[in-house]
Amino acid sequence: MLLDTLRRLFVLVLLCLAQALVFNRIQLFHCAIPLVYVYFVIIFPRSYPRWALLFWGFAAGVAIDMFSNTPGLAASSMTLLAFLQPMLLELFLPRDAEEKIRASAATLGWGNFVALTTFLVMIYCTVFFTVETFSFANWLYWLECIGGSSLLTILIILTIESVRK
């Protein structure tokens, strides 16, 4: 249990540092920003306690908010994503899947993993940019931010997943 917590903390710190030092500097067409820390919530196992998943999602969001100077945006969006992840993961798992299965391309297959990642990233980007914009006056820019950031984030997450064991 302690080893699992330390491993998750290491992954969280690594993704937060990568986001703050590298990915926050990438901004294509002034709207598309890769948000790779979403990967932290995607890879949680099926049997992980829901309260702990919500805690980790909120902690990751607060850490990103501190590094990115976006008070509450990432925390609220990551908490919602952590709430939805177990329900969406169940949709892509086979019926006879074991209880401790983890969301990855190796366990789900590439098609299901890409679909799960796409759904979760699209939900995250929609909530994140809706709360950030808080207005639909410039709805085209809002859609460009959601679409561009989602596409960049999905591509980077799939690249990370293909490199991982």
Side-chain angles (χ1 to χ4, degrees), residues 8 38-50 52-54 56-57 77-93 101-104 107-108 113 115-117 119-121 123-124:
R8 289 196 194 287
V38 174
Y39 183 64
F40 180 71
V41 172
I42 292 174
I43 60 173
F44 270 89
R46 177 186 195 184
S47 64
Y48 209 76
R50 200 156 261 201
L53 184 58
L54 287 171
W56 279 110
S77 303
M78 287 291 280
T79 305
L80 177 68
L81 196 69
F83 177 74
L84 295 174
Q85 190 264 1
M87 292 180 267
L88 287 174
L89 180 60
E90 287 295 323
L91 295 175
F92 295 100
L93 288 174
I101 194 166
R102 205 176 107 242
S104 69
T107 58
L108 296 176
F113 184 74
L116 174 67
T117 301
F119 276 121
L120 288 173
V121 168
I123 290 169
Y124 181 80

mmCIF file of all heavy atoms in Angstrom, residues 8 38-50 52-54 56-57 77-93 101-104 107-108 113 115-117 119-121 123-124:
data_model
loop_
_atom_site.group_PDB
_atom_site.id
_atom_site.type_symbol
_atom_site.label_atom_id
_atom_site.label_comp_id
_atom_site.label_asym_id
_atom_site.label_seq_id
_atom_site.Cartn_x
_atom_site.Cartn_y
_atom_site.Cartn_z
ATOM 1 N N ARG A 8 2.392 6.440 -7.004
ATOM 2 C CA ARG A 8 1.418 7.404 -7.523
ATOM 3 C C ARG A 8 1.880 8.841 -7.276
ATOM 4 O O ARG A 8 1.701 9.711 -8.133
ATOM 5 C CB ARG A 8 0.057 7.191 -6.883
ATOM 6 C CG ARG A 8 -0.594 5.933 -7.370
ATOM 7 C CD ARG A 8 -2.060 5.883 -7.070
ATOM 8 N NE ARG A 8 -2.534 4.540 -7.274
ATOM 9 C CZ ARG A 8 -2.704 3.972 -8.454
ATOM 10 N NH1 ARG A 8 -2.426 4.631 -9.545
ATOM 11 N NH2 ARG A 8 -3.134 2.738 -8.548
ATOM 12 N N VAL A 38 -3.810 14.800 -17.255
ATOM 13 C CA VAL A 38 -5.059 14.032 -17.273
ATOM 14 C C VAL A 38 -4.751 12.522 -17.276
ATOM 15 O O VAL A 38 -5.520 11.722 -16.758
ATOM 16 C CB VAL A 38 -5.905 14.439 -18.504
ATOM 17 C CG1 VAL A 38 -7.131 13.590 -18.650
ATOM 18 C CG2 VAL A 38 -6.262 15.899 -18.425
ATOM 19 N N TYR A 39 -3.613 12.176 -17.821
ATOM 20 C CA TYR A 39 -3.175 10.770 -17.866
ATOM 21 C C TYR A 39 -3.111 10.153 -16.474
ATOM 22 O O TYR A 39 -3.346 8.960 -16.307
ATOM 23 C CB TYR A 39 -1.804 10.715 -18.553
ATOM 24 C CG TYR A 39 -1.244 9.332 -18.749
ATOM 25 C CD1 TYR A 39 -1.890 8.420 -19.560
ATOM 26 C CD2 TYR A 39 -0.060 8.951 -18.132
ATOM 27 C CE1 TYR A 39 -1.362 7.154 -19.759
ATOM 28 C CE2 TYR A 39 0.467 7.700 -18.328
ATOM 29 C CZ TYR A 39 -0.185 6.804 -19.142
ATOM 30 O OH TYR A 39 0.334 5.551 -19.327
ATOM 31 N N PHE A 40 -2.818 10.963 -15.480
ATOM 32 C CA PHE A 40 -2.731 10.481 -14.100
ATOM 33 C C PHE A 40 -4.043 9.834 -13.648
ATOM 34 O O PHE A 40 -4.037 8.796 -12.993
ATOM 35 C CB PHE A 40 -2.356 11.648 -13.176
ATOM 36 C CG PHE A 40 -2.241 11.274 -11.733
ATOM 37 C CD1 PHE A 40 -1.191 10.496 -11.295
ATOM 38 C CD2 PHE A 40 -3.176 11.700 -10.810
ATOM 39 C CE1 PHE A 40 -1.068 10.149 -9.959
ATOM 40 C CE2 PHE A 40 -3.069 11.371 -9.483
ATOM 41 C CZ PHE A 40 -2.013 10.592 -9.053
ATOM 42 N N VAL A 41 -5.170 10.421 -14.000
ATOM 43 C CA VAL A 41 -6.471 9.880 -13.591
ATOM 44 C C VAL A 41 -6.893 8.730 -14.498
ATOM 45 O O VAL A 41 -7.540 7.786 -14.053
ATOM 46 C CB VAL A 41 -7.534 10.993 -13.574
ATOM 47 C CG1 VAL A 41 -8.929 10.440 -13.355
ATOM 48 C CG2 VAL A 41 -7.210 12.004 -12.492
ATOM 49 N N ILE A 42 -6.501 8.764 -15.749
ATOM 50 C CA ILE A 42 -6.916 7.728 -16.702
ATOM 51 C C ILE A 42 -6.392 6.355 -16.293
ATOM 52 O O ILE A 42 -7.091 5.356 -16.439
ATOM 53 C CB ILE A 42 -6.447 8.095 -18.130
ATOM 54 C CG1 ILE A 42 -7.210 9.322 -18.631
ATOM 55 C CG2 ILE A 42 -6.652 6.926 -19.086
ATOM 56 C CD1 ILE A 42 -6.717 9.850 -19.953
ATOM 57 N N ILE A 43 -5.186 6.264 -15.754
ATOM 58 C CA ILE A 43 -4.546 4.969 -15.518
ATOM 59 C C ILE A 43 -4.890 4.323 -14.176
ATOM 60 O O ILE A 43 -4.320 3.290 -13.838
ATOM 61 C CB ILE A 43 -3.010 5.079 -15.654
ATOM 62 C CG1 ILE A 43 -2.439 6.066 -14.647
ATOM 63 C CG2 ILE A 43 -2.632 5.422 -17.069
ATOM 64 C CD1 ILE A 43 -0.933 6.109 -14.612
ATOM 65 N N PHE A 44 -5.818 4.862 -13.428
ATOM 66 C CA PHE A 44 -6.184 4.234 -12.158
ATOM 67 C C PHE A 44 -6.880 2.900 -12.389
ATOM 68 O O PHE A 44 -7.646 2.747 -13.345
ATOM 69 C CB PHE A 44 -7.098 5.157 -11.346
ATOM 70 C CG PHE A 44 -6.348 6.086 -10.444
ATOM 71 C CD1 PHE A 44 -5.927 7.314 -10.901
ATOM 72 C CD2 PHE A 44 -6.036 5.722 -9.154
ATOM 73 C CE1 PHE A 44 -5.224 8.176 -10.092
ATOM 74 C CE2 PHE A 44 -5.334 6.566 -8.320
ATOM 75 C CZ PHE A 44 -4.928 7.791 -8.792
ATOM 76 N N PRO A 45 -6.646 1.924 -11.504
ATOM 77 C CA PRO A 45 -7.256 0.600 -11.688
ATOM 78 C C PRO A 45 -8.752 0.589 -11.368
ATOM 79 O O PRO A 45 -9.279 1.500 -10.732
ATOM 80 C CB PRO A 45 -6.477 -0.292 -10.720
ATOM 81 C CG PRO A 45 -5.914 0.615 -9.715
ATOM 82 C CD PRO A 45 -5.711 1.939 -10.385
ATOM 83 N N ARG A 46 -9.375 -0.456 -11.788
ATOM 84 C CA ARG A 46 -10.825 -0.628 -11.628
ATOM 85 C C ARG A 46 -11.246 -0.694 -10.169
ATOM 86 O O ARG A 46 -12.248 -0.117 -9.771
ATOM 87 C CB ARG A 46 -11.239 -1.902 -12.348
ATOM 88 C CG ARG A 46 -12.669 -2.255 -12.224
ATOM 89 C CD ARG A 46 -12.888 -3.594 -12.858
ATOM 90 N NE ARG A 46 -14.279 -3.869 -13.101
ATOM 91 C CZ ARG A 46 -14.711 -5.005 -13.571
ATOM 92 N NH1 ARG A 46 -13.860 -5.958 -13.893
ATOM 93 N NH2 ARG A 46 -15.989 -5.197 -13.762
ATOM 94 N N SER A 47 -10.491 -1.385 -9.348
ATOM 95 C CA SER A 47 -10.889 -1.627 -7.965
ATOM 96 C C SER A 47 -10.430 -0.543 -6.997
ATOM 97 O O SER A 47 -10.589 -0.710 -5.794
ATOM 98 C CB SER A 47 -10.322 -2.973 -7.510
ATOM 99 O OG SER A 47 -8.894 -2.916 -7.522
ATOM 100 N N TYR A 48 -9.881 0.529 -7.481
ATOM 101 C CA TYR A 48 -9.386 1.575 -6.588
ATOM 102 C C TYR A 48 -10.565 2.230 -5.881
ATOM 103 O O TYR A 48 -11.597 2.508 -6.512
ATOM 104 C CB TYR A 48 -8.594 2.609 -7.390
ATOM 105 C CG TYR A 48 -7.527 3.275 -6.588
ATOM 106 C CD1 TYR A 48 -6.345 2.619 -6.302
ATOM 107 C CD2 TYR A 48 -7.693 4.563 -6.106
ATOM 108 C CE1 TYR A 48 -5.354 3.225 -5.563
ATOM 109 C CE2 TYR A 48 -6.709 5.180 -5.372
ATOM 110 C CZ TYR A 48 -5.543 4.501 -5.092
ATOM 111 O OH TYR A 48 -4.565 5.101 -4.350
ATOM 112 N N PRO A 49 -10.462 2.478 -4.578
ATOM 113 C CA PRO A 49 -11.588 3.098 -3.854
ATOM 114 C C PRO A 49 -11.947 4.464 -4.435
ATOM 115 O O PRO A 49 -11.080 5.261 -4.783
ATOM 116 C CB PRO A 49 -11.052 3.247 -2.430
ATOM 117 C CG PRO A 49 -9.894 2.342 -2.332
ATOM 118 C CD PRO A 49 -9.343 2.180 -3.706
ATOM 119 N N ARG A 50 -13.222 4.701 -4.519
ATOM 120 C CA ARG A 50 -13.690 5.920 -5.154
ATOM 121 C C ARG A 50 -13.263 7.175 -4.401
ATOM 122 O O ARG A 50 -12.911 8.178 -4.998
ATOM 123 C CB ARG A 50 -15.206 5.873 -5.255
ATOM 124 C CG ARG A 50 -15.608 6.843 -6.311
ATOM 125 C CD ARG A 50 -16.824 6.596 -6.906
ATOM 126 N NE ARG A 50 -16.861 5.932 -8.161
ATOM 127 C CZ ARG A 50 -17.924 6.058 -8.903
ATOM 128 N NH1 ARG A 50 -18.920 6.759 -8.480
ATOM 129 N NH2 ARG A 50 -17.984 5.458 -10.033
ATOM 130 N N ALA A 52 -10.593 7.574 -2.669
ATOM 131 C CA ALA A 52 -9.162 7.792 -2.896
ATOM 132 C C ALA A 52 -8.919 8.351 -4.293
ATOM 133 O O ALA A 52 -8.049 9.215 -4.489
ATOM 134 C CB ALA A 52 -8.399 6.493 -2.697
ATOM 135 N N LEU A 53 -9.676 7.882 -5.257
ATOM 136 C CA LEU A 53 -9.557 8.396 -6.623
ATOM 137 C C LEU A 53 -9.953 9.873 -6.674
ATOM 138 O O LEU A 53 -9.281 10.682 -7.323
ATOM 139 C CB LEU A 53 -10.423 7.568 -7.572
ATOM 140 C CG LEU A 53 -10.362 7.901 -9.047
ATOM 141 C CD1 LEU A 53 -8.950 7.794 -9.576
ATOM 142 C CD2 LEU A 53 -11.274 6.974 -9.824
ATOM 143 N N LEU A 54 -11.020 10.233 -5.964
ATOM 144 C CA LEU A 54 -11.427 11.638 -5.901
ATOM 145 C C LEU A 54 -10.357 12.488 -5.207
ATOM 146 O O LEU A 54 -10.061 13.609 -5.632
ATOM 147 C CB LEU A 54 -12.759 11.778 -5.173
ATOM 148 C CG LEU A 54 -13.989 11.304 -5.941
ATOM 149 C CD1 LEU A 54 -15.202 11.287 -5.042
ATOM 150 C CD2 LEU A 54 -14.232 12.177 -7.144
ATOM 151 N N TRP A 56 -7.057 11.832 -5.065
ATOM 152 C CA TRP A 56 -5.911 11.960 -5.967
ATOM 153 C C TRP A 56 -6.216 12.932 -7.102
ATOM 154 O O TRP A 56 -5.358 13.715 -7.513
ATOM 155 C CB TRP A 56 -5.505 10.604 -6.528
ATOM 156 C CG TRP A 56 -4.658 9.800 -5.604
ATOM 157 C CD1 TRP A 56 -5.026 8.662 -4.951
ATOM 158 C CD2 TRP A 56 -3.303 10.050 -5.221
ATOM 159 N NE1 TRP A 56 -3.975 8.194 -4.185
ATOM 160 C CE2 TRP A 56 -2.911 9.027 -4.347
ATOM 161 C CE3 TRP A 56 -2.388 11.039 -5.550
ATOM 162 C CZ2 TRP A 56 -1.643 8.968 -3.787
ATOM 163 C CZ3 TRP A 56 -1.117 10.980 -4.998
ATOM 164 C CH2 TRP A 56 -0.762 9.958 -4.124
ATOM 165 N N GLY A 57 -7.421 12.877 -7.646
ATOM 166 C CA GLY A 57 -7.794 13.805 -8.717
ATOM 167 C C GLY A 57 -7.787 15.247 -8.240
ATOM 168 O O GLY A 57 -7.278 16.141 -8.933
ATOM 169 N N SER A 77 -11.972 20.460 -12.518
ATOM 170 C CA SER A 77 -12.049 19.588 -13.685
ATOM 171 C C SER A 77 -11.486 18.203 -13.395
ATOM 172 O O SER A 77 -12.055 17.192 -13.828
ATOM 173 C CB SER A 77 -11.294 20.220 -14.853
ATOM 174 O OG SER A 77 -11.796 21.490 -15.138
ATOM 175 N N MET A 78 -10.381 18.131 -12.673
ATOM 176 C CA MET A 78 -9.784 16.829 -12.337
ATOM 177 C C MET A 78 -10.661 16.047 -11.369
ATOM 178 O O MET A 78 -10.736 14.820 -11.439
ATOM 179 C CB MET A 78 -8.386 17.011 -11.753
ATOM 180 C CG MET A 78 -7.343 17.397 -12.767
ATOM 181 S SD MET A 78 -6.958 16.102 -13.940
ATOM 182 C CE MET A 78 -5.855 15.109 -12.968
ATOM 183 N N THR A 79 -11.314 16.734 -10.440
ATOM 184 C CA THR A 79 -12.216 16.045 -9.517
ATOM 185 C C THR A 79 -13.401 15.448 -10.264
ATOM 186 O O THR A 79 -13.801 14.307 -10.004
ATOM 187 C CB THR A 79 -12.697 17.010 -8.416
ATOM 188 O OG1 THR A 79 -11.560 17.584 -7.774
ATOM 189 C CG2 THR A 79 -13.539 16.293 -7.384
ATOM 190 N N LEU A 80 -13.955 16.186 -11.202
ATOM 191 C CA LEU A 80 -15.039 15.644 -12.031
ATOM 192 C C LEU A 80 -14.551 14.458 -12.851
ATOM 193 O O LEU A 80 -15.243 13.444 -12.962
ATOM 194 C CB LEU A 80 -15.612 16.722 -12.947
ATOM 195 C CG LEU A 80 -16.706 16.230 -13.897
ATOM 196 C CD1 LEU A 80 -17.954 15.842 -13.124
ATOM 197 C CD2 LEU A 80 -17.018 17.271 -14.941
ATOM 198 N N LEU A 81 -13.360 14.561 -13.410
ATOM 199 C CA LEU A 81 -12.806 13.466 -14.199
ATOM 200 C C LEU A 81 -12.579 12.227 -13.339
ATOM 201 O O LEU A 81 -12.855 11.107 -13.769
ATOM 202 C CB LEU A 81 -11.496 13.916 -14.848
ATOM 203 C CG LEU A 81 -11.004 13.047 -15.981
ATOM 204 C CD1 LEU A 81 -11.938 13.184 -17.168
ATOM 205 C CD2 LEU A 81 -9.603 13.429 -16.356
ATOM 206 N N ALA A 82 -12.091 12.420 -12.116
ATOM 207 C CA ALA A 82 -11.881 11.302 -11.203
ATOM 208 C C ALA A 82 -13.213 10.655 -10.815
ATOM 209 O O ALA A 82 -13.291 9.446 -10.594
ATOM 210 C CB ALA A 82 -11.143 11.769 -9.948
ATOM 211 N N PHE A 83 -14.269 11.446 -10.765
ATOM 212 C CA PHE A 83 -15.596 10.899 -10.476
ATOM 213 C C PHE A 83 -16.122 10.067 -11.644
ATOM 214 O O PHE A 83 -16.737 9.008 -11.454
ATOM 215 C CB PHE A 83 -16.563 12.049 -10.167
ATOM 216 C CG PHE A 83 -17.973 11.603 -9.921
ATOM 217 C CD1 PHE A 83 -18.319 10.981 -8.743
ATOM 218 C CD2 PHE A 83 -18.940 11.790 -10.887
ATOM 219 C CE1 PHE A 83 -19.618 10.548 -8.514
ATOM 220 C CE2 PHE A 83 -20.238 11.375 -10.678
ATOM 221 C CZ PHE A 83 -20.580 10.750 -9.491
ATOM 222 N N LEU A 84 -15.856 10.499 -12.867
ATOM 223 C CA LEU A 84 -16.390 9.825 -14.049
ATOM 224 C C LEU A 84 -15.534 8.654 -14.536
ATOM 225 O O LEU A 84 -16.034 7.780 -15.248
ATOM 226 C CB LEU A 84 -16.545 10.828 -15.190
ATOM 227 C CG LEU A 84 -17.566 11.937 -14.982
ATOM 228 C CD1 LEU A 84 -17.510 12.927 -16.129
ATOM 229 C CD2 LEU A 84 -18.957 11.366 -14.824
ATOM 230 N N GLN A 85 -14.260 8.609 -14.180
ATOM 231 C CA GLN A 85 -13.351 7.597 -14.702
ATOM 232 C C GLN A 85 -13.802 6.165 -14.436
ATOM 233 O O GLN A 85 -13.786 5.337 -15.350
ATOM 234 C CB GLN A 85 -11.933 7.836 -14.164
ATOM 235 C CG GLN A 85 -10.869 6.996 -14.820
ATOM 236 C CD GLN A 85 -10.522 5.737 -14.048
ATOM 237 O OE1 GLN A 85 -11.094 5.453 -13.004
ATOM 238 N NE2 GLN A 85 -9.591 4.986 -14.571
ATOM 239 N N PRO A 86 -14.225 5.802 -13.209
ATOM 240 C CA PRO A 86 -14.650 4.402 -12.999
ATOM 241 C C PRO A 86 -15.863 4.003 -13.842
ATOM 242 O O PRO A 86 -15.932 2.876 -14.340
ATOM 243 C CB PRO A 86 -14.980 4.342 -11.514
ATOM 244 C CG PRO A 86 -14.296 5.492 -10.904
ATOM 245 C CD PRO A 86 -14.226 6.546 -11.955
ATOM 246 N N MET A 87 -16.797 4.928 -14.022
ATOM 247 C CA MET A 87 -17.991 4.616 -14.806
ATOM 248 C C MET A 87 -17.647 4.424 -16.285
ATOM 249 O O MET A 87 -18.151 3.497 -16.925
ATOM 250 C CB MET A 87 -19.027 5.721 -14.648
ATOM 251 C CG MET A 87 -19.618 5.791 -13.257
ATOM 252 S SD MET A 87 -20.815 7.095 -13.090
ATOM 253 C CE MET A 87 -19.785 8.409 -12.494
ATOM 254 N N LEU A 88 -16.795 5.288 -16.814
ATOM 255 C CA LEU A 88 -16.411 5.154 -18.217
ATOM 256 C C LEU A 88 -15.489 3.958 -18.435
ATOM 257 O O LEU A 88 -15.548 3.313 -19.481
ATOM 258 C CB LEU A 88 -15.742 6.437 -18.710
ATOM 259 C CG LEU A 88 -16.688 7.609 -18.911
ATOM 260 C CD1 LEU A 88 -15.933 8.875 -19.246
ATOM 261 C CD2 LEU A 88 -17.701 7.306 -19.998
ATOM 262 N N LEU A 89 -14.652 3.654 -17.454
ATOM 263 C CA LEU A 89 -13.776 2.485 -17.569
ATOM 264 C C LEU A 89 -14.594 1.202 -17.667
ATOM 265 O O LEU A 89 -14.256 0.302 -18.431
ATOM 266 C CB LEU A 89 -12.816 2.422 -16.376
ATOM 267 C CG LEU A 89 -11.835 1.260 -16.347
ATOM 268 C CD1 LEU A 89 -10.933 1.281 -17.574
ATOM 269 C CD2 LEU A 89 -11.010 1.306 -15.075
ATOM 270 N N GLU A 90 -15.681 1.124 -16.930
ATOM 271 C CA GLU A 90 -16.551 -0.062 -16.978
ATOM 272 C C GLU A 90 -17.131 -0.285 -18.371
ATOM 273 O O GLU A 90 -17.385 -1.424 -18.760
ATOM 274 C CB GLU A 90 -17.698 0.063 -15.965
ATOM 275 C CG GLU A 90 -17.288 -0.116 -14.532
ATOM 276 C CD GLU A 90 -16.792 -1.514 -14.218
ATOM 277 O OE1 GLU A 90 -17.337 -2.489 -14.776
ATOM 278 O OE2 GLU A 90 -15.852 -1.626 -13.421
ATOM 279 N N LEU A 91 -17.347 0.779 -19.121
ATOM 280 C CA LEU A 91 -17.899 0.643 -20.464
ATOM 281 C C LEU A 91 -16.932 -0.033 -21.435
ATOM 282 O O LEU A 91 -17.366 -0.665 -22.394
ATOM 283 C CB LEU A 91 -18.278 2.020 -21.024
ATOM 284 C CG LEU A 91 -19.391 2.770 -20.321
ATOM 285 C CD1 LEU A 91 -19.552 4.150 -20.936
ATOM 286 C CD2 LEU A 91 -20.693 1.999 -20.398
ATOM 287 N N PHE A 92 -15.642 0.099 -21.173
ATOM 288 C CA PHE A 92 -14.647 -0.414 -22.110
ATOM 289 C C PHE A 92 -13.984 -1.700 -21.644
ATOM 290 O O PHE A 92 -13.142 -2.240 -22.357
ATOM 291 C CB PHE A 92 -13.582 0.660 -22.367
ATOM 292 C CG PHE A 92 -14.141 1.860 -23.055
ATOM 293 C CD1 PHE A 92 -14.450 3.003 -22.342
ATOM 294 C CD2 PHE A 92 -14.396 1.839 -24.411
ATOM 295 C CE1 PHE A 92 -14.984 4.104 -22.970
ATOM 296 C CE2 PHE A 92 -14.924 2.937 -25.050
ATOM 297 C CZ PHE A 92 -15.222 4.074 -24.324
ATOM 298 N N LEU A 93 -14.354 -2.201 -20.485
ATOM 299 C CA LEU A 93 -13.792 -3.451 -19.974
ATOM 300 C C LEU A 93 -14.641 -4.634 -20.428
ATOM 301 O O LEU A 93 -15.870 -4.525 -20.525
ATOM 302 C CB LEU A 93 -13.753 -3.444 -18.449
ATOM 303 C CG LEU A 93 -12.735 -2.536 -17.788
ATOM 304 C CD1 LEU A 93 -12.937 -2.553 -16.274
ATOM 305 C CD2 LEU A 93 -11.332 -2.973 -18.125
ATOM 306 N N ILE A 101 -7.807 -4.813 -12.640
ATOM 307 C CA ILE A 101 -7.315 -4.426 -13.964
ATOM 308 C C ILE A 101 -7.108 -2.909 -14.023
ATOM 309 O O ILE A 101 -7.883 -2.142 -13.474
ATOM 310 C CB ILE A 101 -8.273 -4.910 -15.074
ATOM 311 C CG1 ILE A 101 -7.609 -4.808 -16.421
ATOM 312 C CG2 ILE A 101 -9.579 -4.156 -15.035
ATOM 313 C CD1 ILE A 101 -8.341 -5.555 -17.510
ATOM 314 N N ARG A 102 -6.029 -2.515 -14.670
ATOM 315 C CA ARG A 102 -5.663 -1.116 -14.805
ATOM 316 C C ARG A 102 -5.890 -0.664 -16.244
ATOM 317 O O ARG A 102 -5.690 -1.431 -17.164
ATOM 318 C CB ARG A 102 -4.190 -0.960 -14.441
ATOM 319 C CG ARG A 102 -3.850 0.407 -13.966
ATOM 320 C CD ARG A 102 -2.407 0.482 -13.521
ATOM 321 N NE ARG A 102 -1.706 1.232 -14.545
ATOM 322 C CZ ARG A 102 -0.723 0.775 -15.285
ATOM 323 N NH1 ARG A 102 -0.274 -0.434 -15.123
ATOM 324 N NH2 ARG A 102 -0.164 1.524 -16.192
ATOM 325 N N ALA A 103 -6.304 0.561 -16.405
ATOM 326 C CA ALA A 103 -6.545 1.084 -17.740
ATOM 327 C C ALA A 103 -5.215 1.321 -18.447
ATOM 328 O O ALA A 103 -4.439 2.184 -18.055
ATOM 329 C CB ALA A 103 -7.332 2.379 -17.668
ATOM 330 N N SER A 104 -4.950 0.530 -19.453
ATOM 331 C CA SER A 104 -3.758 0.700 -20.277
ATOM 332 C C SER A 104 -4.042 0.072 -21.633
ATOM 333 O O SER A 104 -5.003 -0.683 -21.802
ATOM 334 C CB SER A 104 -2.529 0.068 -19.630
ATOM 335 O OG SER A 104 -2.640 -1.328 -19.632
ATOM 336 N N THR A 107 -3.911 -3.843 -21.424
ATOM 337 C CA THR A 107 -5.036 -4.571 -20.813
ATOM 338 C C THR A 107 -6.350 -4.362 -21.547
ATOM 339 O O THR A 107 -7.160 -5.281 -21.631
ATOM 340 C CB THR A 107 -5.216 -4.155 -19.337
ATOM 341 O OG1 THR A 107 -5.440 -2.745 -19.277
ATOM 342 C CG2 THR A 107 -4.009 -4.536 -18.515
ATOM 343 N N LEU A 108 -6.573 -3.171 -22.068
ATOM 344 C CA LEU A 108 -7.832 -2.876 -22.754
ATOM 345 C C LEU A 108 -7.771 -3.129 -24.253
ATOM 346 O O LEU A 108 -8.807 -3.314 -24.885
ATOM 347 C CB LEU A 108 -8.220 -1.408 -22.540
ATOM 348 C CG LEU A 108 -8.538 -0.947 -21.134
ATOM 349 C CD1 LEU A 108 -8.807 0.542 -21.128
ATOM 350 C CD2 LEU A 108 -9.715 -1.700 -20.577
ATOM 351 N N PHE A 113 -8.601 1.570 -25.402
ATOM 352 C CA PHE A 113 -7.838 2.569 -24.667
ATOM 353 C C PHE A 113 -7.916 3.933 -25.347
ATOM 354 O O PHE A 113 -8.062 4.955 -24.678
ATOM 355 C CB PHE A 113 -6.370 2.148 -24.504
ATOM 356 C CG PHE A 113 -5.581 3.110 -23.670
ATOM 357 C CD1 PHE A 113 -5.747 3.159 -22.297
ATOM 358 C CD2 PHE A 113 -4.687 3.990 -24.267
ATOM 359 C CE1 PHE A 113 -5.036 4.063 -21.527
ATOM 360 C CE2 PHE A 113 -3.971 4.891 -23.501
ATOM 361 C CZ PHE A 113 -4.143 4.925 -22.131
ATOM 362 N N ALA A 115 -10.383 4.982 -27.215
ATOM 363 C CA ALA A 115 -11.752 5.479 -27.008
ATOM 364 C C ALA A 115 -11.935 6.022 -25.590
ATOM 365 O O ALA A 115 -12.512 7.103 -25.402
ATOM 366 C CB ALA A 115 -12.754 4.366 -27.282
ATOM 367 N N LEU A 116 -11.446 5.288 -24.594
ATOM 368 C CA LEU A 116 -11.542 5.745 -23.204
ATOM 369 C C LEU A 116 -10.786 7.058 -23.022
ATOM 370 O O LEU A 116 -11.312 8.013 -22.424
ATOM 371 C CB LEU A 116 -10.990 4.682 -22.254
ATOM 372 C CG LEU A 116 -10.896 5.074 -20.780
ATOM 373 C CD1 LEU A 116 -12.276 5.253 -20.179
ATOM 374 C CD2 LEU A 116 -10.096 4.048 -20.002
ATOM 375 N N THR A 117 -9.583 7.126 -23.538
ATOM 376 C CA THR A 117 -8.777 8.346 -23.424
ATOM 377 C C THR A 117 -9.453 9.508 -24.128
ATOM 378 O O THR A 117 -9.493 10.622 -23.595
ATOM 379 C CB THR A 117 -7.377 8.100 -24.021
ATOM 380 O OG1 THR A 117 -6.756 7.027 -23.319
ATOM 381 C CG2 THR A 117 -6.513 9.336 -23.913
ATOM 382 N N PHE A 119 -12.708 9.977 -24.722
ATOM 383 C CA PHE A 119 -13.870 10.423 -23.944
ATOM 384 C C PHE A 119 -13.439 11.240 -22.732
ATOM 385 O O PHE A 119 -13.968 12.331 -22.483
ATOM 386 C CB PHE A 119 -14.722 9.240 -23.470
ATOM 387 C CG PHE A 119 -15.702 8.771 -24.489
ATOM 388 C CD1 PHE A 119 -15.662 7.467 -24.947
ATOM 389 C CD2 PHE A 119 -16.680 9.610 -24.983
ATOM 390 C CE1 PHE A 119 -16.563 7.016 -25.892
ATOM 391 C CE2 PHE A 119 -17.595 9.175 -25.929
ATOM 392 C CZ PHE A 119 -17.530 7.872 -26.382
ATOM 393 N N LEU A 120 -12.485 10.728 -21.973
ATOM 394 C CA LEU A 120 -12.073 11.416 -20.752
ATOM 395 C C LEU A 120 -11.395 12.752 -21.053
ATOM 396 O O LEU A 120 -11.653 13.751 -20.372
ATOM 397 C CB LEU A 120 -11.161 10.521 -19.922
ATOM 398 C CG LEU A 120 -11.863 9.344 -19.239
ATOM 399 C CD1 LEU A 120 -10.852 8.418 -18.580
ATOM 400 C CD2 LEU A 120 -12.861 9.836 -18.204
ATOM 401 N N VAL A 121 -10.560 12.790 -22.059
ATOM 402 C CA VAL A 121 -9.878 14.045 -22.401
ATOM 403 C C VAL A 121 -10.869 15.069 -22.943
ATOM 404 O O VAL A 121 -10.794 16.258 -22.604
ATOM 405 C CB VAL A 121 -8.730 13.785 -23.396
ATOM 406 C CG1 VAL A 121 -8.200 15.078 -23.985
ATOM 407 C CG2 VAL A 121 -7.604 13.024 -22.717
ATOM 408 N N ILE A 123 -14.072 15.298 -22.203
ATOM 409 C CA ILE A 123 -14.843 15.783 -21.055
ATOM 410 C C ILE A 123 -14.012 16.779 -20.256
ATOM 411 O O ILE A 123 -14.492 17.850 -19.872
ATOM 412 C CB ILE A 123 -15.303 14.599 -20.170
ATOM 413 C CG1 ILE A 123 -16.374 13.797 -20.887
ATOM 414 C CG2 ILE A 123 -15.814 15.087 -18.816
ATOM 415 C CD1 ILE A 123 -16.701 12.472 -20.230
ATOM 416 N N TYR A 124 -12.753 16.419 -20.002
ATOM 417 C CA TYR A 124 -11.893 17.299 -19.216
ATOM 418 C C TYR A 124 -11.709 18.649 -19.902
ATOM 419 O O TYR A 124 -11.863 19.697 -19.266
ATOM 420 C CB TYR A 124 -10.522 16.659 -18.973
ATOM 421 C CG TYR A 124 -9.644 17.550 -18.158
ATOM 422 C CD1 TYR A 124 -9.781 17.616 -16.787
ATOM 423 C CD2 TYR A 124 -8.712 18.377 -18.765
ATOM 424 C CE1 TYR A 124 -9.003 18.471 -16.033
ATOM 425 C CE2 TYR A 124 -7.929 19.236 -18.022
ATOM 426 C CZ TYR A 124 -8.081 19.273 -16.650
ATOM 427 O OH TYR A 124 -7.317 20.127 -15.915
#
